[in-house]
Amino acid sequence: MVNIYNRRLHFMTIKQIERQGPLMDAPPNRLAMLTDYVSPEERSVACPNQDVVYGIGALALDLSPVVVQVPDFGDRFWVYQAVDLRTDSFVQLGKMYGTTPGFYLLVGPDWKGEVPKGITKVFHCPTCTGMIAPRVAQNDTPEDKQAIQSVLPGIMIYPLAEFDGTMKTKDWANLPQLPAPPAGDEETQWVLPEKFVDELPAVLADAPPPPGEEARYAQVLAVLAAAQYDPALKQAMTAGAKEADELLVKPLFQFHNYGQQLPFYWSTISNESAFGTDYFTRTAVAKSNILVNSPAETKYFYQDLDDHGARLNDTNRYTVTFAKGATPPVNGFWSLSIYNEHHFFVKNSINRFSIGTKTQDLKLNADGSLTIFVQAEAPTDQNQLANWLPAPKGNFSLYVRAYWPKPSILDGSWTPPAVQPVNL
């Protein structure tokens, strides 16, 4: 919750829709779209993907309800994610829901206004603060990168006062370009332990306790109130926040330390974007790969280890082989992405960070199976190059996304195959 709260504070400082280096920014209750895959230099959100063209915006529903435009995507896969302060989803907008083009309204918990004519549906957010992130599928061909440009301008959100029943457009390719802000190797630090005690009262005020959590909230608020009058107590609480961040939260960055454990050391979660009072999983996801879609929209599988339980590392070569007909069963599409130890992309010689449905030249084995070669150096066998996923230096992680998954993924009967080290 503090993570999303601080992201909103960042967007509150933005005065115009713009690009800042590899990222895009917009004032609250508006969004900015990319026009191609996210750049490998991005450091705002861990575990980005290069399966879709992203947009991002901060919701401040205490300032105004927000109109969401849905253009006609045709047959192209798309989904709009909108989450509250808890990163729980409160909308269903996407191809898997049969959403029709038009206008949709996002309102805060206390809004009692009149819904204007022309609004197809209203979605109620339980908090005033949230995030919205459209995702629109794109494949790797120049033709599709050009074709997607016709639909992107119609993806917009704006305050209700600007709604006039007409579809607005924005030329996302020609936004003001600002220099890239300073960025390190890790994700931008959105939760600062030294500020945690000061920020928590505003965060909890925006996210009232869910049923059954009233007593827990009362306890926390009582201690926070006491800290306002006792510097020693506040100092002790801040020290506790720093210790918890280092000893409890930091280890959750490693995928193998949380989630449902699956065969071959893969893991997953089943309550993504519906965490409720599962604070442990919500914290782990916020630390390792925040802003995950609902299961019906995208299912995620995480991997840090090979099939012997050893940490994935560039000093080894690996294969991931999907049996014939056993790639992730989806109505949409699937991908296998690779991230460095900080859960970000690292530039490589072929500019490839994921493989899947979008990869047009994958080669199948003679028996119809599909082998992906995960290694730092290019395969010496020319027949393997099309299926090469370049590994970054050091430890790395693999990550399967199944967009619009079929029931066999949702019920757990399909899980990913082993990541096998290659004997040198």
Side-chain angles (χ1 to χ4, degrees):
M1 291 193 289
V2 173
N3 187 311
I4 297 297
Y5 171 82
N6 281 321
R7 289 178 191 268
R8 170 179 166 163
L9 291 185
H10 163 75
F11 282 100
M12 294 290 285
T13 68
I14 306 301
K15 304 303 181 186
Q16 64 177 350
I17 300 174
E18 61 195 21
R19 291 285 300 271
Q20 286 201 33
L23 300 173
M24 59 283 193
D25 275 323
N29 294 337
R30 302 185 188 276
L31 61 75
M33 289 293 301
L34 293 174
T35 55
D36 199 350
Y37 295 137
V38 68
S39 167
E41 289 83 8
E42 182 272 324
R43 292 295 180 269
S44 181
V45 182
C47 292
N49 75 62
Q50 283 206 349
D51 305 324
V52 301
V53 175
Y54 277 113
I56 193 71
L59 300 175
L61 299 175
D62 50 328
L63 302 182
S64 168
V66 170
V67 174
V68 178
Q69 286 191 176
V70 174
D72 187 350
F73 289 95
D75 292 332
R76 190 179 296 274
F77 177 94
W78 67 279
V79 63
Y80 288 6
Q81 178 186 37
V83 297
D84 64 12
L85 190 66
R86 294 183 169 92
T87 62
D88 286 345
S89 176
F90 66 95
V91 308
Q92 296 80 43
L93 293 170
K95 187 175 178 67
M96 68 290 304
Y97 300 115
T99 305
T100 56
F103 305 96
Y104 298 81
L105 190 64
L106 313 182
V107 302
D110 301 322
W111 189 75
K112 305 233 178 0
E114 183 177 345
V115 179
K117 291 182 179 179
I119 297 293
T120 301
K121 189 172 182 178
V122 179
F123 294 101
H124 294 263
C125 183
T127 62
C128 292
T129 298
M131 300 290 293
I132 186 166
R135 293 166 168 87
V136 187
Q138 174 182 270
N139 67 39
D140 286 344
T141 66
E143 294 79 11
D144 199 55
K145 289 174 181 275
Q146 180 60 40
I148 198 175
Q149 303 308 316
S150 65
V151 73
L152 296 179
I155 303 173
M156 292 187 68
I157 72 169
Y158 41 83
L160 178 58
E162 298 179 19
F163 176 66
D164 59 9
T166 63
M167 190 71 71
K168 306 178 191 302
T169 59
K170 182 76 173 179
D171 182 3
W172 301 117
N174 289 294
L175 297 179
Q177 180 69 59
L178 279 66
D185 295 329
E186 300 182 34
E187 184 184 56
T188 300
Q189 190 175 3
W190 296 105
V191 180
L192 301 172
E194 59 269 23
K195 294 185 177 181
F196 191 79
V197 176
D198 290 326
E199 292 176 339
L200 200 52
V203 172
L204 296 179
D206 193 357
E213 293 289 285
E214 294 85 357
R216 177 179 296 225
Y217 263 60
Q219 291 172 334
V220 174
L221 291 171
V223 176
L224 289 171
Q228 293 180 352
Y229 302 101
D230 187 340
L233 177 57
K234 181 178 178 180
Q235 184 178 6
M237 292 170 65
T238 299
K242 292 179 180 179
E243 183 179 32
D245 187 60
E246 183 66 26
L247 300 181
L248 300 178
V249 179
K250 190 174 181 179
L252 298 179
F253 188 76
Q254 304 296 322
F255 291 126
H256 58 271
N257 285 338
Y258 74 91
Q260 299 158 259
Q261 301 306 303
L262 304 175
F264 308 119
Y265 298 100
W266 288 91
S267 64
T268 190
I269 58 173
S270 58
N271 59 346
E272 57 261 41
S273 84
F275 299 105
T277 56
D278 182 0
Y279 295 106
F280 178 82
T281 303
R282 186 170 67 202
T283 299
V285 172
K287 181 65 177 177
S288 62
N289 63 314
I290 200 169
L291 297 180
V292 297
N293 289 122
S294 298
E297 299 165 357
T298 317
K299 188 68 177 172
Y300 305 88
F301 299 91
Y302 312 126
Q303 183 62 278
D304 294 329
L305 311 173
D306 67 21
D307 67 346
H308 299 300
R311 190 68 176 82
L312 299 178
N313 186 276
D314 77 297
T315 57
N316 296 315
R317 292 186 290 136
Y318 306 91
T319 59
V320 180
T321 299
F322 297 91
K324 181 179 180 180
T327 55
V330 291
N331 294 306
F333 62 103
W334 67 273
S335 67
L336 176 68
S337 296
I338 190 165
Y339 299 105
N340 71 358
E341 61 181 325
H342 304 299
H343 292 183
F344 286 108
F345 296 140
V346 176
K347 284 187 174 181
N348 58 68
S349 61
I350 61 172
N351 197 34
R352 175 183 284 174
F353 311 97
S354 64
I355 277 181
T357 308
K358 66 168 188 170
T359 314
Q360 303 296 297
D361 59 349
L362 288 177
K363 297 185 183 300
L364 299 180
N365 299 317
D367 62 358
S369 62
L370 171 66
T371 298
I372 297 173
F373 301 92
V374 182
Q375 56 192 64
E377 302 299 327
T380 53
D381 185 341
Q382 294 298 304
N383 292 322
Q384 298 178 359
L385 278 174
N387 297 13
W388 175 37
L389 187 57
K393 295 292 184 183
N395 291 341
F396 64 85
S397 298
L398 294 172
Y399 192 126
V400 170
R401 288 176 174 87
Y403 294 85
W404 195 359
K406 291 185 175 180
S408 56
I409 284 185
L410 295 174
D411 67 17
S413 56
W414 183 94
T415 56
V419 181
Q420 297 177 313
V422 177
N423 294 324
L424 301 179

